[in-house]
Amino acid sequence: YRRVLGLNPSHLEFAGDYARALAAANRKTAAAEFRRWADSTGLQENLVLKLPLAGLSLLAGDPALARSITQEASQDYTQDWAPGALLDLGWWHYLAGDYPSASSLVGNAVQQRPGNAAYTTRQGWVQIEQHTLADALQSLEPGYDQGENAERKMARAVALWQAQRQDEAMISFESAARKQPEWENPRWVKALYSPGVAETIQQMKTERERRRKITKNAR
C-alpha cells in the first residue's frame, strides 16, 4: 500500500488500507509511521488521513484525535462526512477492544444510514463481541443487496456458529471462504478482527475437516 500511495500521494483512497496494514504489522509504531507519511503529502489535514491517524493513535493509547473528530461529527449528522467518520471511528474502537464505544459509534452511524450493508455488517461484528447474537443476526440478515460480499457472509457464519446453529453457519462459512480465501489465513483474521472471531473461524475450519472425513469414510 505504501508503494501504491507513493506513485501518486494525492490519491488517498488506499490510505485507510495502508493504516490497517500498519496496525496489523505493529500497533505501537503504526501511528508514528503513518503520520510521517501523511506529513510528507502536505494533505495531513484531509479527513481521509485524519481518520486513520486518529484510529492508529487510539490503538497506541492516545484517544485525543478520535475524541475530537467524534465530537465534531456528533454535533451535526447532516454533514455528509459525519456518518462515515463515526463508522470508521467505531471500527477502530472495535480493533482496540473497546466494544461499548464501538457499539455506540457504529450504532449512531447506522441510524443515519439505515439499510446500508457496509454499515450493518460492521454493526453485526460489534454485536457479536457483545454477545447480542439475535441483534447481530438481524443486522446481518441477507437481502440488503444482491452482491453480498464475503465479509458479511463470514460475519453471519460467526454469529450463527456462536448461536449454536452449526449447519447454517457452515453453509455461510463455506460460501465466504470460497469468495474470499483470505479467511482461511489465521494471521490475516487475527490482524483484522477480534480474537473471538479468529477462534470461532478456527472452530468452523475444524468442523469442516471433521465433516469431510466422515463423508470420505462413508464412501
Side-chain angles (χ1 to χ4, degrees), residues 190-211:
K190 288 178 181 178
L192 298 176
Y193 295 89
S194 75
V197 167
E199 181 180 355
T200 299
I201 289 175
Q202 183 57 48
Q203 290 171 357
M204 288 189 286
K205 288 168 66 177
T206 300
E207 175 65 11
R208 179 181 59 190
E209 293 307 309
R210 186 188 73 83
R211 294 186 182 198

PDB file of all heavy atoms in Angstrom, residues 190-211:
ATOM      1  N   LYS A 190      -6.600 -12.714  12.496  1.00  0.00           N
ATOM      2  CA  LYS A 190      -6.205 -12.183  13.804  1.00  0.00           C
ATOM      3  C   LYS A 190      -5.773 -10.726  13.721  1.00  0.00           C
ATOM      4  O   LYS A 190      -5.958  -9.960  14.670  1.00  0.00           O
ATOM      5  CB  LYS A 190      -5.075 -13.033  14.391  1.00  0.00           C
ATOM      6  CG  LYS A 190      -5.522 -14.408  14.852  1.00  0.00           C
ATOM      7  CD  LYS A 190      -4.349 -15.227  15.369  1.00  0.00           C
ATOM      8  CE  LYS A 190      -4.787 -16.614  15.801  1.00  0.00           C
ATOM      9  NZ  LYS A 190      -3.642 -17.442  16.270  1.00  0.00           N
ATOM     10  N   ALA A 191      -5.197 -10.344  12.586  1.00  0.00           N
ATOM     11  CA  ALA A 191      -4.728  -8.964  12.429  1.00  0.00           C
ATOM     12  C   ALA A 191      -5.876  -7.983  12.243  1.00  0.00           C
ATOM     13  O   ALA A 191      -5.755  -6.813  12.613  1.00  0.00           O
ATOM     14  CB  ALA A 191      -3.777  -8.870  11.252  1.00  0.00           C
ATOM     15  N   LEU A 192      -6.989  -8.445  11.678  1.00  0.00           N
ATOM     16  CA  LEU A 192      -8.048  -7.521  11.266  1.00  0.00           C
ATOM     17  C   LEU A 192      -9.342  -7.652  12.050  1.00  0.00           C
ATOM     18  O   LEU A 192     -10.229  -6.793  11.928  1.00  0.00           O
ATOM     19  CB  LEU A 192      -8.342  -7.715   9.774  1.00  0.00           C
ATOM     20  CG  LEU A 192      -7.172  -7.423   8.826  1.00  0.00           C
ATOM     21  CD1 LEU A 192      -7.555  -7.755   7.403  1.00  0.00           C
ATOM     22  CD2 LEU A 192      -6.735  -5.966   8.948  1.00  0.00           C
ATOM     23  N   TYR A 193      -9.466  -8.711  12.861  1.00  0.00           N
ATOM     24  CA  TYR A 193     -10.705  -8.927  13.602  1.00  0.00           C
ATOM     25  C   TYR A 193     -10.374  -9.316  15.039  1.00  0.00           C
ATOM     26  O   TYR A 193      -9.214  -9.371  15.434  1.00  0.00           O
ATOM     27  CB  TYR A 193     -11.567  -9.997  12.907  1.00  0.00           C
ATOM     28  CG  TYR A 193     -12.044  -9.538  11.544  1.00  0.00           C
ATOM     29  CD1 TYR A 193     -11.266  -9.766  10.409  1.00  0.00           C
ATOM     30  CD2 TYR A 193     -13.235  -8.838  11.391  1.00  0.00           C
ATOM     31  CE1 TYR A 193     -11.665  -9.312   9.157  1.00  0.00           C
ATOM     32  CE2 TYR A 193     -13.645  -8.384  10.151  1.00  0.00           C
ATOM     33  CZ  TYR A 193     -12.859  -8.618   9.043  1.00  0.00           C
ATOM     34  OH  TYR A 193     -13.251  -8.151   7.812  1.00  0.00           O
ATOM     35  N   SER A 194     -11.389  -9.569  15.807  1.00  0.00           N
ATOM     36  CA  SER A 194     -11.183  -9.823  17.234  1.00  0.00           C
ATOM     37  C   SER A 194     -10.646 -11.233  17.482  1.00  0.00           C
ATOM     38  O   SER A 194     -10.789 -12.122  16.631  1.00  0.00           O
ATOM     39  CB  SER A 194     -12.511  -9.662  17.984  1.00  0.00           C
ATOM     40  OG  SER A 194     -13.347 -10.784  17.730  1.00  0.00           O
ATOM     41  N   PRO A 195     -10.059 -11.466  18.659  1.00  0.00           N
ATOM     42  CA  PRO A 195      -9.618 -12.821  18.992  1.00  0.00           C
ATOM     43  C   PRO A 195     -10.768 -13.825  18.981  1.00  0.00           C
ATOM     44  O   PRO A 195     -10.583 -14.981  18.591  1.00  0.00           O
ATOM     45  CB  PRO A 195      -9.041 -12.662  20.405  1.00  0.00           C
ATOM     46  CG  PRO A 195      -8.619 -11.229  20.476  1.00  0.00           C
ATOM     47  CD  PRO A 195      -9.638 -10.473  19.676  1.00  0.00           C
ATOM     48  N   GLY A 196     -11.952 -13.385  19.401  1.00  0.00           N
ATOM     49  CA  GLY A 196     -13.115 -14.271  19.395  1.00  0.00           C
ATOM     50  C   GLY A 196     -13.510 -14.704  18.001  1.00  0.00           C
ATOM     51  O   GLY A 196     -13.909 -15.856  17.775  1.00  0.00           O
ATOM     52  N   VAL A 197     -13.423 -13.788  17.051  1.00  0.00           N
ATOM     53  CA  VAL A 197     -13.717 -14.129  15.659  1.00  0.00           C
ATOM     54  C   VAL A 197     -12.709 -15.147  15.141  1.00  0.00           C
ATOM     55  O   VAL A 197     -13.075 -16.143  14.496  1.00  0.00           O
ATOM     56  CB  VAL A 197     -13.720 -12.862  14.778  1.00  0.00           C
ATOM     57  CG1 VAL A 197     -13.716 -13.224  13.297  1.00  0.00           C
ATOM     58  CG2 VAL A 197     -14.921 -11.995  15.102  1.00  0.00           C
ATOM     59  N   ALA A 198     -11.440 -14.916  15.416  1.00  0.00           N
ATOM     60  CA  ALA A 198     -10.402 -15.842  14.969  1.00  0.00           C
ATOM     61  C   ALA A 198     -10.635 -17.239  15.542  1.00  0.00           C
ATOM     62  O   ALA A 198     -10.492 -18.252  14.838  1.00  0.00           O
ATOM     63  CB  ALA A 198      -9.031 -15.318  15.380  1.00  0.00           C
ATOM     64  N   GLU A 199     -11.016 -17.304  16.804  1.00  0.00           N
ATOM     65  CA  GLU A 199     -11.263 -18.600  17.445  1.00  0.00           C
ATOM     66  C   GLU A 199     -12.467 -19.308  16.821  1.00  0.00           C
ATOM     67  O   GLU A 199     -12.426 -20.517  16.557  1.00  0.00           O
ATOM     68  CB  GLU A 199     -11.497 -18.400  18.946  1.00  0.00           C
ATOM     69  CG  GLU A 199     -11.744 -19.694  19.698  1.00  0.00           C
ATOM     70  CD  GLU A 199     -11.980 -19.463  21.178  1.00  0.00           C
ATOM     71  OE1 GLU A 199     -11.862 -18.311  21.640  1.00  0.00           O
ATOM     72  OE2 GLU A 199     -12.294 -20.448  21.875  1.00  0.00           O
ATOM     73  N   THR A 200     -13.531 -18.560  16.578  1.00  0.00           N
ATOM     74  CA  THR A 200     -14.737 -19.156  16.003  1.00  0.00           C
ATOM     75  C   THR A 200     -14.474 -19.670  14.594  1.00  0.00           C
ATOM     76  O   THR A 200     -14.930 -20.758  14.224  1.00  0.00           O
ATOM     77  CB  THR A 200     -15.887 -18.132  15.985  1.00  0.00           C
ATOM     78  OG1 THR A 200     -16.180 -17.733  17.323  1.00  0.00           O
ATOM     79  CG2 THR A 200     -17.145 -18.730  15.356  1.00  0.00           C
ATOM     80  N   ILE A 201     -13.740 -18.907  13.793  1.00  0.00           N
ATOM     81  CA  ILE A 201     -13.431 -19.350  12.437  1.00  0.00           C
ATOM     82  C   ILE A 201     -12.577 -20.615  12.470  1.00  0.00           C
ATOM     83  O   ILE A 201     -12.778 -21.537  11.670  1.00  0.00           O
ATOM     84  CB  ILE A 201     -12.739 -18.223  11.645  1.00  0.00           C
ATOM     85  CG1 ILE A 201     -13.760 -17.117  11.341  1.00  0.00           C
ATOM     86  CG2 ILE A 201     -12.135 -18.758  10.349  1.00  0.00           C
ATOM     87  CD1 ILE A 201     -13.176 -15.906  10.661  1.00  0.00           C
ATOM     88  N   GLN A 202     -11.654 -20.700  13.415  1.00  0.00           N
ATOM     89  CA  GLN A 202     -10.848 -21.912  13.543  1.00  0.00           C
ATOM     90  C   GLN A 202     -11.732 -23.109  13.901  1.00  0.00           C
ATOM     91  O   GLN A 202     -11.529 -24.220  13.394  1.00  0.00           O
ATOM     92  CB  GLN A 202      -9.753 -21.723  14.594  1.00  0.00           C
ATOM     93  CG  GLN A 202      -8.819 -22.915  14.727  1.00  0.00           C
ATOM     94  CD  GLN A 202      -8.138 -23.267  13.409  1.00  0.00           C
ATOM     95  OE1 GLN A 202      -7.595 -22.407  12.719  1.00  0.00           O
ATOM     96  NE2 GLN A 202      -8.164 -24.542  13.033  1.00  0.00           N
ATOM     97  N   GLN A 203     -12.709 -22.883  14.762  1.00  0.00           N
ATOM     98  CA  GLN A 203     -13.639 -23.956  15.121  1.00  0.00           C
ATOM     99  C   GLN A 203     -14.429 -24.431  13.900  1.00  0.00           C
ATOM    100  O   GLN A 203     -14.644 -25.639  13.719  1.00  0.00           O
ATOM    101  CB  GLN A 203     -14.597 -23.473  16.214  1.00  0.00           C
ATOM    102  CG  GLN A 203     -13.932 -23.267  17.559  1.00  0.00           C
ATOM    103  CD  GLN A 203     -14.852 -22.589  18.566  1.00  0.00           C
ATOM    104  OE1 GLN A 203     -15.987 -22.222  18.251  1.00  0.00           O
ATOM    105  NE2 GLN A 203     -14.372 -22.403  19.788  1.00  0.00           N
ATOM    106  N   MET A 204     -14.837 -23.491  13.057  1.00  0.00           N
ATOM    107  CA  MET A 204     -15.573 -23.880  11.845  1.00  0.00           C
ATOM    108  C   MET A 204     -14.680 -24.620  10.867  1.00  0.00           C
ATOM    109  O   MET A 204     -15.117 -25.563  10.197  1.00  0.00           O
ATOM    110  CB  MET A 204     -16.214 -22.650  11.210  1.00  0.00           C
ATOM    111  CG  MET A 204     -17.401 -22.107  12.009  1.00  0.00           C
ATOM    112  SD  MET A 204     -18.351 -20.803  11.160  1.00  0.00           S
ATOM    113  CE  MET A 204     -17.206 -19.421  11.318  1.00  0.00           C
ATOM    114  N   LYS A 205     -13.429 -24.230  10.778  1.00  0.00           N
ATOM    115  CA  LYS A 205     -12.491 -24.955   9.912  1.00  0.00           C
ATOM    116  C   LYS A 205     -12.298 -26.390  10.415  1.00  0.00           C
ATOM    117  O   LYS A 205     -12.247 -27.335   9.616  1.00  0.00           O
ATOM    118  CB  LYS A 205     -11.149 -24.217   9.870  1.00  0.00           C
ATOM    119  CG  LYS A 205     -11.203 -22.917   9.079  1.00  0.00           C
ATOM    120  CD  LYS A 205      -9.956 -22.077   9.293  1.00  0.00           C
ATOM    121  CE  LYS A 205      -8.722 -22.727   8.749  1.00  0.00           C
ATOM    122  NZ  LYS A 205      -7.527 -21.843   8.910  1.00  0.00           N
ATOM    123  N   THR A 206     -12.207 -26.552  11.728  1.00  0.00           N
ATOM    124  CA  THR A 206     -12.073 -27.891  12.304  1.00  0.00           C
ATOM    125  C   THR A 206     -13.308 -28.732  12.020  1.00  0.00           C
ATOM    126  O   THR A 206     -13.217 -29.918  11.670  1.00  0.00           O
ATOM    127  CB  THR A 206     -11.843 -27.786  13.820  1.00  0.00           C
ATOM    128  OG1 THR A 206     -10.646 -27.034  14.069  1.00  0.00           O
ATOM    129  CG2 THR A 206     -11.717 -29.161  14.451  1.00  0.00           C
ATOM    130  N   GLU A 207     -14.466 -28.107  12.151  1.00  0.00           N
ATOM    131  CA  GLU A 207     -15.720 -28.811  11.876  1.00  0.00           C
ATOM    132  C   GLU A 207     -15.813 -29.204  10.404  1.00  0.00           C
ATOM    133  O   GLU A 207     -16.293 -30.293  10.068  1.00  0.00           O
ATOM    134  CB  GLU A 207     -16.909 -27.934  12.266  1.00  0.00           C
ATOM    135  CG  GLU A 207     -18.283 -28.508  11.931  1.00  0.00           C
ATOM    136  CD  GLU A 207     -18.618 -29.782  12.688  1.00  0.00           C
ATOM    137  OE1 GLU A 207     -17.882 -30.134  13.645  1.00  0.00           O
ATOM    138  OE2 GLU A 207     -19.624 -30.427  12.336  1.00  0.00           O
ATOM    139  N   ARG A 208     -15.363 -28.349   9.524  1.00  0.00           N
ATOM    140  CA  ARG A 208     -15.374 -28.675   8.094  1.00  0.00           C
ATOM    141  C   ARG A 208     -14.533 -29.917   7.818  1.00  0.00           C
ATOM    142  O   ARG A 208     -14.953 -30.819   7.080  1.00  0.00           O
ATOM    143  CB  ARG A 208     -14.836 -27.501   7.289  1.00  0.00           C
ATOM    144  CG  ARG A 208     -14.798 -27.763   5.783  1.00  0.00           C
ATOM    145  CD  ARG A 208     -14.232 -26.585   5.029  1.00  0.00           C
ATOM    146  NE  ARG A 208     -12.886 -26.258   5.468  1.00  0.00           N
ATOM    147  CZ  ARG A 208     -12.227 -25.158   5.110  1.00  0.00           C
ATOM    148  NH1 ARG A 208     -12.793 -24.270   4.318  1.00  0.00           N
ATOM    149  NH2 ARG A 208     -11.001 -24.944   5.549  1.00  0.00           N
ATOM    150  N   GLU A 209     -13.338 -29.988   8.428  1.00  0.00           N
ATOM    151  CA  GLU A 209     -12.473 -31.152   8.221  1.00  0.00           C
ATOM    152  C   GLU A 209     -13.108 -32.408   8.799  1.00  0.00           C
ATOM    153  O   GLU A 209     -13.009 -33.495   8.217  1.00  0.00           O
ATOM    154  CB  GLU A 209     -11.101 -30.904   8.841  1.00  0.00           C
ATOM    155  CG  GLU A 209     -10.309 -29.803   8.140  1.00  0.00           C
ATOM    156  CD  GLU A 209     -10.209 -30.036   6.651  1.00  0.00           C
ATOM    157  OE1 GLU A 209      -9.818 -31.158   6.245  1.00  0.00           O
ATOM    158  OE2 GLU A 209     -10.535 -29.111   5.883  1.00  0.00           O
ATOM    159  N   ARG A 210     -13.768 -32.260   9.958  1.00  0.00           N
ATOM    160  CA  ARG A 210     -14.444 -33.414  10.565  1.00  0.00           C
ATOM    161  C   ARG A 210     -15.515 -33.959   9.626  1.00  0.00           C
ATOM    162  O   ARG A 210     -15.633 -35.174   9.419  1.00  0.00           O
ATOM    163  CB  ARG A 210     -15.056 -33.012  11.907  1.00  0.00           C
ATOM    164  CG  ARG A 210     -15.655 -34.182  12.694  1.00  0.00           C
ATOM    165  CD  ARG A 210     -16.422 -33.696  13.914  1.00  0.00           C
ATOM    166  NE  ARG A 210     -17.676 -33.069  13.521  1.00  0.00           N
ATOM    167  CZ  ARG A 210     -18.796 -33.742  13.259  1.00  0.00           C
ATOM    168  NH1 ARG A 210     -18.813 -35.067  13.344  1.00  0.00           N
ATOM    169  NH2 ARG A 210     -19.906 -33.107  12.929  1.00  0.00           N
ATOM    170  N   ARG A 211     -16.288 -33.044   9.047  1.00  0.00           N
ATOM    171  CA  ARG A 211     -17.367 -33.467   8.157  1.00  0.00           C
ATOM    172  C   ARG A 211     -16.822 -34.080   6.874  1.00  0.00           C
ATOM    173  O   ARG A 211     -17.404 -35.025   6.323  1.00  0.00           O
ATOM    174  CB  ARG A 211     -18.280 -32.277   7.845  1.00  0.00           C
ATOM    175  CG  ARG A 211     -19.034 -31.768   9.069  1.00  0.00           C
ATOM    176  CD  ARG A 211     -20.043 -30.685   8.712  1.00  0.00           C
ATOM    177  NE  ARG A 211     -20.724 -30.189   9.907  1.00  0.00           N
ATOM    178  CZ  ARG A 211     -21.870 -29.506   9.895  1.00  0.00           C
ATOM    179  NH1 ARG A 211     -22.469 -29.235   8.743  1.00  0.00           N
ATOM    180  NH2 ARG A 211     -22.409 -29.085  11.022  1.00  0.00           N
TER     181      ARG A 211
END
